[in-house]
């Protein structure tokens, strides 16, 4: 039974991944219904605010769900939110046994869903595939536990660790295929974050092209409100959400001008001469942003590293040597005192992207 449970939970975990980018701030959830060793229904949470994975799987199974086992990657919910409780659907369908990868730490559920099913006579088990379930839902779990979003860092650099030449030129270190992957990544994010130095140097759009399942807000760390009124970000703020994170040092007249263009001006405390990144992350967590992609520059990356706020890395390493003592490095900030104290990224993969090397790592 254990091997079969692992196999069916593996399928449920595969299905859960299909919701990435579509369901946040909800968790990724997949479900399969198995009767007498045969798959009779499957589903996944497809859109935020729509039916959960269990409901899709039970509808697909129909009458075959009676007496069957439901494998689900997260404990069924027992509260009424945007959709009815999944526990009600499980009981109506006549499911005999529920195998959940993990309990849902969401306060309105948190073990109550499993307890309710047990009280109704359903066998409930936890733990099959739990490690993988926690991995795929790490952003959801972090948001619940800390009130902060999962922070991705993306950058392209040369073999000698430069993200721009001594003149500031950075177009293009990575190749077209790598940049296509970045646009796909943006399309799954709640926000894309950069510093004012990157905006002034590159005048980026920070949009996903073509669009993905999400339209990320564009956030600029701009301590003194130096962003130009004719920049791409300000000019398009009425059509794409744009947040300028400033401090009290930003002139009130400039704030008013930026608001008139459609920007949200977010005033945050100052930390060591710049916008406090922890204060920003707490604010984004209050807004239930689940995934934030940071695209530079070195000062922003350094501030997040110093704050131990990075969770996932996306590095595109190009087969170039740039050199130059004044050429920009990927990470600024205070940095680490000793190699022994540097955070090690133990979960990582790499692959070739038409000549660039894509390194992906998670803490």
């Amino acid at each position: 039974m254990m091997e079969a449970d692992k196999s069916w939970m593996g399928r449920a975990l595969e299905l859960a991944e299909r919701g990435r980018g579509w369901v946040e701030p909800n968790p990724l959830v997949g479900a399969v219904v198995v009767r007498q060793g045969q798959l009779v229904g499957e589903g996944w949470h497809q859109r935020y605010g729509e039916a959960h994975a269990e409901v899709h799987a039970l509808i697909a199974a129909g009458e075959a769900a009676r007496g069957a086992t439901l494998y689900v990657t997260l404990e069924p919910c027992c509260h009424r939110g945007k959709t009815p409780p999944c526990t009600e659907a499980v009981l109506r369908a006549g499911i005999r046994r529920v195998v959940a990868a993990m309990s849902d730490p969401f306060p309105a559920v948190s073990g109550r869903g499993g307890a309710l099913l047990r009280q109704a006579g359903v066998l409930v088990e936890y733990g099959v595939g739990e490690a993988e379930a926690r991995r795929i839902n790490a952003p959801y779990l972090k948001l619940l536990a800390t009130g902060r979003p999962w922070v991705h860092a993306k950058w392209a650099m040369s073999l000698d660790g430069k993200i721009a030449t001594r003149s500031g030129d950075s177009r293009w270190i990575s190749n077209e295929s790598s940049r296509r992957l970045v646009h796909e990544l943006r399309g799954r994010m709640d926000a894309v974050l950069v510093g004012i130095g990157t905006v002034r140097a590159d005048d980026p759009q920070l949009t996903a092209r073509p669009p993905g399942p999400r339209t990320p807000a564009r956030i600029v760390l701009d301590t003194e409100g130096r962003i130009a009124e004719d920049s791409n970000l300000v000019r398009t703020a009425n059509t794409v959400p744009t947040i300028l994170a400033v401090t009290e040092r930003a002139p009130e007249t400039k704030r008013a001008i930026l608001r008139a263009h459609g920007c949200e001006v977010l005033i945050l405390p100052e930390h060591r001469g710049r916008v406090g990144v922890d204060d920003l992350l707490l604010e984004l967590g209050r807004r239930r942003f689940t995934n934030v992609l940071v695209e530079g520059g070195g000062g922003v990356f350094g501030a997040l590293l110093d704050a131990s706020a990075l969770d996932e890395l996306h590095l595109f390493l190009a087969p170039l040597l740039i050199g130059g003592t004044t050429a920009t490095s990927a990470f600024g900030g205070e940095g680490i005192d000793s190699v022994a104290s540097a955070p090690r990224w133990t979960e990582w993969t790499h692959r070739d992207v038409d000549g660039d090397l894509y390194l992906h790592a998670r803490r």
Side-chain angles (χ1 to χ4, degrees), residues 293-351:
L293 178 64
V294 184
E295 297 200 22
V300 178
F301 284 145
L304 289 164
L305 177 64
D306 293 341
S308 298
L310 297 174
D311 300 298
E312 191 163 344
L313 309 180
H314 307 266
L315 164 60
F316 295 88
L317 188 63
L320 307 171
L321 288 172
I322 290 176
T325 55
T326 60
T328 309
S329 297
F331 281 73
E334 291 188 358
I336 305 298
D337 287 330
S338 66
V339 172
S341 63
R344 292 194 177 272
W345 301 75
T346 55
E347 183 186 333
W348 63 280
T349 60
H350 61 89
R351 64 184 170 104

Side-chain angles (χ1 to χ4, degrees), residues 25-81:
N26 282 356
L28 308 178
V29 183
V32 299
V33 182
V34 178
R35 183 174 182 178
Q36 297 179 347
Q38 299 296 313
L39 176 68
V40 295
E42 63 181 26
W44 66 95
H45 187 24
Q46 299 178 10
R47 297 285 192 284
Y48 176 72
E50 297 184 5
H52 291 183
E54 301 95 317
V55 173
H56 285 295
L58 293 169
I59 290 174
E63 280 302 311
R66 195 157 300 278
T69 296
L70 171 68
Y71 294 90
V72 61
T73 58
L74 192 68
E75 174 185 12
C77 69
C78 56
H79 68 294
R80 184 173 294 274

Side-chain angles (χ1 to χ4, degrees), residues 113-182:
L116 188 152
L117 293 173
R118 282 177 175 144
Q119 289 169 10
V122 178
L123 297 173
V124 179
E125 301 168 28
Y126 292 102
V128 177
E130 181 173 0
E132 179 63 12
R134 288 187 175 279
R135 191 191 71 80
I136 68 171
N137 271 317
Y140 168 76
L141 297 174
K142 182 188 177 186
L143 183 60
L144 284 180
T146 71
R148 295 166 175 80
W150 189 260
V151 180
H152 303 249
K154 184 282 301 179
W155 73 101
M157 73 179 187
S158 62
L159 293 173
D160 53 339
K162 305 298 184 181
I163 61 173
T165 67
R166 63 187 181 190
S167 68
D169 179 45
S170 61
R171 294 188 177 179
W172 294 102
I173 290 177
S174 59
N175 63 34
E176 186 175 348
S177 297
S178 293
R179 297 196 297 277
R180 213 164 25 239
L181 285 179
V182 172

